[in-house]
Amino acid sequence: MENLARKDPAPNSVRVGQVLETATRLFTERGYEAASIRDLAAELAIRPSSLYHHFPGKQNILFTICFGMQRDFNAEVMPHLAAGRTPEEAIRGTIRQHILFSQRRKGEVLVNIRERRSLPPKLLARVNELRRQYRDAVADVIADGHRQGVFRLTQPKLAAMAILDMANGQALWFKPRDRRDLDRLADSYAQAAVVLLGGWVPVP
Amino acid sequence: MENLARKDPAPNSVRVGQVLETATRLFTERGYEAASIRDLAAELAIRPSSLYHHFPGKQNILFTICFGMQRDFNAEVMPHLAAGRTPEEAIRGTIRQHILFSQRRKGEVLVNIRERRSLPPKLLARVNELRRQYRDAVADVIADGHRQGVFRLTQPKLAAMAILDMANGQALWFKPRDRRDLDRLADSYAQAAVVLLGGWVPVP
DNA sequence: GTCTATACGCAGATAGAC
DNA sequence: GTCTATCTGCGTATAGAC
């Protein structure tokens, strides 16, 4: 039944990548809880039960998106923390790449930010572990800068959170008109982070 | 039926305020979509149908939380934008109050940040209108500072978004140990915003 | 203001054929 | 790898008595 309700003929085969791309879009548009397995199957022009050939369940689809995104993010962005010759250069390059990555893979990034908490505790912990690695690495560079006298603040983890909250926020509202527009935001935020760290004096 | 499953006797009457407080907690802990009317009724020790005496539906409960929080926020925080004698003082006082409010009413703030988008378009627009008023007022003060030569950046709305993203982020992770700890974060972030605006040079 | 009873649909997931 | 058919439970919401 319901065959007539389907506009397009069923494809011979659906790849895992197609499932993830479509799920990312649906989770972004409607939220994880509000997007159903039935919705996802309909978008892929297959039956709901067919999805269980690719994934053991809905939560696993969410995990694959969040974990894969954060793993790629860390692999791509964290090297910039060690690349600069000074802490300023390291922070500048890192924040720049952070923003470029966020915009290039915005769908996955938004799902990770907004829907991650719907994961069961064990899967959530695996994603959070990757996030913690990145945050701690940023805090370490800030602490280096403080030892070298270029950053004045005394709480590197707090400073890291402030900068990363700022860098993450743009994914929710910034829509670059073109590549130049994107570059400008990335450079501007990278500089903002350095300015912040250089001028921020601890409050007693 | 099900009377035996209820641990506590039903109260004679449930106030609207109790419903909102409990709903805020549930929506914060589980997310709006994942928290059901049945869950909410169980926490209040009443039957699900009784909730419809206080609210016409689930979406209206969410709207009441989000709109009420943002209305109170604007009434309490926005006056600080006009209070300082200089743009620096205005921004400093505003960000400070922004953070104090966010921590004092964290539950509602988190619901507004994370669950607002589950509102139907018309109700969402009414909440977003209040948010826009606040953001624009912040941007206006930044533009004033630029005209007076104390802020160097050229995109006041972008600068406002950057600062507000930073100021909003702490609600998700900062757990003050005591009042002194909270004051220190509020002062620190307020200063960070001023430092950022004072040292941020536009990228061409 | 709360209750009982219920309508009605959709949720995630599984079994087993092709 | 996809299908048909189906299970079981829970979702929001309503009618009408007390």
Side-chain angles (χ1 to χ4, degrees), chain B residues 36-38 49 52 57-58:
Chain B
S36 72
I37 289 286
R38 282 173 153 90
S49 58
Y52 291 86
K58 194 187 175 190

Side-chain angles (χ1 to χ4, degrees), chain A residues 184 188 191, chain B residues 139 142-143 145-147 151-160 196-197 199-204:
Chain A
R184 199 164 43 173
S188 189
Q191 193 218 350
Chain B
I142 294 174
H146 181 252
R147 276 190 287 276
F151 299 152
R152 281 182 281 177
L153 39 72
T154 51
Q155 293 168 278
K157 287 204 179 185
L158 185 107
L196 193 59
L197 293 171
W200 202 356
V201 179
V203 173

Side-chain angles (χ1 to χ4, degrees), chain A residues 162-201:
Chain A
I163 288 173
L164 296 181
D165 279 343
M166 191 179 79
N168 283 327
Q170 48 80 33
L172 287 154
W173 53 265
F174 181 62
K175 312 270 190 272
R177 288 184 298 271
D178 50 30
R179 174 67 205 206
R180 180 177 158 73
D181 200 28
L182 171 58
D183 267 330
R184 199 164 43 173
L185 183 90
D187 290 341
S188 189
Y189 266 49
Q191 193 218 350
V194 172
V195 165
L196 192 59
L197 293 172
W200 204 355
V201 178

Side-chain angles (χ1 to χ4, degrees), chain A residues 24-25 27-28 62 65-70 72-73 77 97-116 127 131 164 167-172:
Chain A
T24 298
R25 184 168 54 75
F27 292 170
T28 304
L62 178 60
I65 295 169
C66 294
F67 188 84
M69 173 262 140
Q70 193 67 51
D72 293 352
F73 180 98
V77 178
Q97 290 303 316
H98 181 130
I99 286 169
L100 295 180
F101 185 100
S102 296
Q103 288 288 333
R104 180 155 36 82
R105 295 177 64 171
K106 189 182 290 194
E108 294 155 272
V109 168
L110 289 178
V111 169
N112 190 35
I113 289 176
R114 298 198 294 217
E115 314 297 342
R116 188 175 69 234
V127 179
R131 292 176 62 83
L164 296 181
N168 283 327
Q170 48 80 33
L172 287 154

Side-chain angles (χ1 to χ4, degrees), chain B residues 132-148:
Chain B
R132 194 191 55 72
Q133 284 175 14
Y134 174 57
R135 189 206 61 192
D136 287 352
V138 171
D140 285 346
V141 171
I142 294 174
D144 277 346
H146 181 252
R147 276 190 287 276
Q148 296 178 25

